[in-house]
Structures are given as C-alpha cells and as structure tokens.
Amino acid sequence: MGMARVWEGEGMTIREQLADESPEILLLDEEKYDEAIVGIVYKTSGMVAVYDTIKIIEILNQEMSYEDAVDWYEVNIEGSYMGDQTPIYMTLLKDIL
C-alpha cells in the first residue's frame, strides 16, 4: 500500500493508470464507466476503485430510461460482489441533500 501520488502516465487513460499502479484493482468491465471513477481507497486487500453512483446512472440513462437505468445499476452493478476488492459505489452528499 502506498501514499496517494500524482501519476506520471501522460496520455494514459485512468484505467491504464490504475492498472499500472495496482494490477489487481477491479474495475467495471465496460470502459464507458471510467468517467464515473472519482477516487480510490486503500484497504488491507489492496487498492479499491470508488465510483460515483449518480454518474453511473447518468451513463446508463443515455441508453435506457431513468427507471431502467436505476434498476440495471441496482441489480447488475451495486448488487454484484467481486471479492475483497469489489469497487465502492458512493453518492456524493451534494447529490442527495
């Protein structure tokens, strides 16, 4: 585990930078969700990606209705467990207050 640092991977995508820093990090399969990555958390099991729930739903809403996007997110993303390094899905307080 390391301290947060600035990545020097100019020209690299966030996915490439995170994989370079922590090859075992688990990310959502589809790269379209990469823009919803808002941070990382260091746990004893390693680095864990943190996604913005609202942003994921917005991405899904481009392909389906809002209600379907919420349902898809809850069942297929939030409801999935991939082990100790399952990504964290958070909602920013500014989005709910």
Side-chain angles (χ1 to χ4, degrees):
M1 267 180 265
M3 298 289 291
R5 66 182 177 88
V6 176
W7 281 297
E8 299 171 5
E10 245 182 82
M12 295 174 70
T13 66
I14 187 70
R15 179 175 293 266
E16 292 167 336
Q17 292 177 30
L18 290 173
D20 185 53
E21 175 71 14
S22 180
E24 71 279 355
I25 194 166
L26 295 176
L27 301 173
L28 294 176
D29 287 338
E30 296 185 54
E31 290 182 17
K32 68 182 178 184
Y33 299 115
D34 290 358
E35 65 184 88
I37 297 171
V38 293
I40 52 175
V41 173
Y42 291 97
K43 296 173 55 176
T44 55
S45 59
M47 187 187 303
V48 176
V50 180
Y51 286 86
D52 180 343
T53 300
I54 300 300
K55 185 64 182 166
I56 292 174
I57 292 170
E58 288 173 354
I59 292 166
L60 289 166
N61 190 210
Q62 294 171 10
E63 302 170 3
M64 59 188 76
S65 72
Y66 178 78
E67 293 78 17
D68 288 344
V70 170
D71 287 343
W72 177 265
Y73 166 77
E74 289 175 345
V75 172
N76 297 294
I77 297 176
E78 183 182 58
S80 66
Y81 179 73
M82 299 180 271
D84 289 342
Q85 289 183 273
T86 298
I88 294 170
Y89 306 104
M90 69 174 218
T91 302
L92 301 172
L93 288 176
K94 71 175 185 68
D95 293 331
I96 58 172
L97 295 179

